[in-house]
Amino acid sequence: MTTTPPAVPAGPVRLAGPGGHGGTGVVRISHLRALESEAIHIMREVVAEFERPALLFSGGKDSIVLLRIAEKAFWPGKIPFPVVHIDTGHNFAEAIEFRDRRVAELGARLIVGSVQASIDAGRVVEETGPRASRNRLQTVTLLDTIAEHRFDALFGGARRDEERARAKERVFSFRDDFGQWDPRNQRPELWNLYNGLHRRGEHIRVFPISNWTELDVWQYIAEEHLEIPSIYYAHRREVFERDGMLMATGPYLQLLPGETPFEATVRYRTVGDMTCTAAVASTASTIEEVIAEVAATRITERGATRADDRSSDSAMEDRKREGYF
């Protein structure tokens, strides 16, 4: 459970000097509070500039942090935009249970876009075979959901340290009327000034925690005492090894010849579609142990555990150009 959000400064906060004595009106804050303050500013700017914003939520750690920031940004009022989840139908049960409970606690409106509904309607074609995944199919469902609800801005939990294509992303990431992203057609962002200008049919993806690292996210979760799905902590699970990754057994992945299930103590660094999200061997069962583990690693969570990013050197950028998250 989360605690009641404390008061948040309405304006920018200046940092004190090394000794903490910065003169009249200067507040000494940690780097996490500086990042939080920036993210709150971004969220408030979007609500002021756009008519129909929404927050993309997967039940993963980054979107959980976004929800907390939204809670603080508009406290004591309710979050003034809906929460949107694009459901592949192949999600981890722990993440779906957490999603429903957390959104209900906040009294937020939940909108679910269903990939299965897109398949049934003939909007996308189900992949087949042992490496089949619905991950890429999410793009059409996402764009259809945006069009149906006429969203003009969507908050996402992407961070620049996740992947090379993410590093090219602006905080305000312009998408054309086909939902596509062109890395050469992004707007400059100087002195934290954001350009939200768009025509009907176009929209902006907004990434308030773009400047955070994975370690920042985990430290913030610890400092805020945020609940997260249990699969982020070490647990016993039946897995099998594929392409050097530990994939969970289940009804959505077919085993290839030579792949043998076994039990292992694992945890997840990122939460996504079960068909492309791998676990890592770990005994980190507390937030302190997870933070120590993340601080020591030299591979990003997507680089270590996302099969969809390994299909080619430009896999993420190719999906983003099509309208992916």
Side-chain angles (χ1 to χ4, degrees):
M1 297 288 290
T2 58
T3 56
T4 300
V8 175
V13 180
R14 291 188 294 150
L15 293 173
H21 306 292
T24 304
V26 176
V27 181
R28 183 174 183 267
I29 61 175
S30 71
H31 83 284
L32 287 180
R33 292 305 160 196
L35 289 171
E36 178 192 70
S37 179
E38 176 189 51
I40 286 173
H41 166 70
I42 291 167
M43 279 200 171
R44 290 174 175 170
E45 282 291 303
V46 168
V47 170
E49 287 187 41
F50 293 83
E51 295 181 0
R52 302 178 71 87
L55 188 149
L56 294 170
F57 187 77
S58 66
K61 64 184 187 305
D62 300 307
S63 52
I64 289 169
V65 166
L66 279 187
L67 265 186
R68 179 60 164 172
I69 289 168
E71 191 181 9
K72 285 190 170 189
F74 305 104
W75 182 266
K78 289 187 177 181
I79 296 174
F81 39 74
V83 173
V84 176
H85 181 219
I86 304 303
D87 184 1
T88 66
H90 293 171
N91 299 100
F92 291 93
E94 297 95 330
I96 296 299
E97 184 278 330
F98 178 88
R99 177 201 71 185
D100 293 342
R101 180 163 46 81
R102 186 71 187 107
V103 170
E105 288 172 357
L106 291 172
R109 177 188 174 203
L110 175 64
I111 295 173
V112 178
S114 168
V115 172
Q116 183 62 57
S118 297
I119 294 170
D120 294 342
R123 293 284 294 141
V124 292
V125 178
E126 178 91 80
E127 295 180 8
T128 59
R131 295 183 182 273
S133 173
R134 288 185 174 182
N135 190 57
R136 192 160 191 154
L137 305 186
Q138 292 180 89
T139 298
V140 170
T141 306
L142 171 61
L143 296 179
D144 286 350
T145 303
I146 291 170
E148 178 184 352
H149 296 277
R150 294 182 288 116
F151 294 133
D152 53 4
L154 289 101
F155 296 108
R159 310 184 322 269
R160 290 193 176 108
D161 76 324
E162 286 182 274
E163 202 271 343
R164 286 174 295 181
R166 296 288 199 207
K168 298 179 182 180
E169 199 89 72
R170 298 287 194 270
V171 172
F172 274 33
S173 179
F174 172 76
R175 305 299 171 106
D176 65 19
D177 49 1
F178 294 102
Q180 296 177 332
W181 174 70
D182 181 356
R184 297 168 299 181
N185 188 30
Q186 297 299 301
R187 298 159 179 177
E189 293 177 345
L190 307 174
W191 306 292
N192 293 330
L193 298 176
Y194 306 108
N195 183 356
L197 183 65
H198 63 285
R199 298 191 297 264
R200 182 177 294 277
E202 300 171 341
H203 69 276
I204 306 290
R205 307 280 175 88
V206 182
F207 302 110
I209 62 171
S210 187
N211 293 325
W212 298 42
T213 65
E214 183 185 8
L215 185 59
D216 291 331
V217 168
W218 280 108
Q219 289 175 332
Y220 187 81
I221 288 170
E223 192 166 301
E224 291 290 308
H225 306 289
L226 296 181
E227 182 187 358
I228 56 176
S230 59
I231 60 175
Y232 276 113
Y233 297 112
H235 59 284
R236 296 292 290 179
R237 184 180 288 264
E238 187 177 77
V239 297
F240 63 94
E241 186 172 346
R242 175 175 292 179
D243 301 328
M245 297 182 293
L246 299 176
M247 309 298 295
T249 58
Y252 312 125
L253 275 176
Q254 300 175 28
L255 294 178
L256 294 168
E259 293 178 340
T260 304
F262 58 95
E263 266 207 0
T265 301
V266 300
R267 73 175 190 87
Y268 285 84
R269 290 177 66 185
T270 181
V271 170
D273 188 284
M274 289 183 69
T275 59
C276 62
T277 306
V280 294
S282 173
T283 58
S285 58
T286 67
I287 188 71
E288 293 80 13
E289 290 172 344
V290 170
I291 288 172
E293 189 176 273
V294 171
T297 189
R298 292 296 177 264
I299 304 175
T300 67
E301 66 264 49
R302 292 195 71 95
T305 65
R306 293 301 292 263
D308 50 332
D309 290 346
R310 294 188 176 193
S311 59
S312 73
D313 289 341
S314 62
M316 170 64 82
E317 183 161 329
D318 292 341
R319 293 199 306 277
K320 285 172 63 62
R321 286 177 182 272
E322 298 169 356
Y324 188 74
F325 301 100

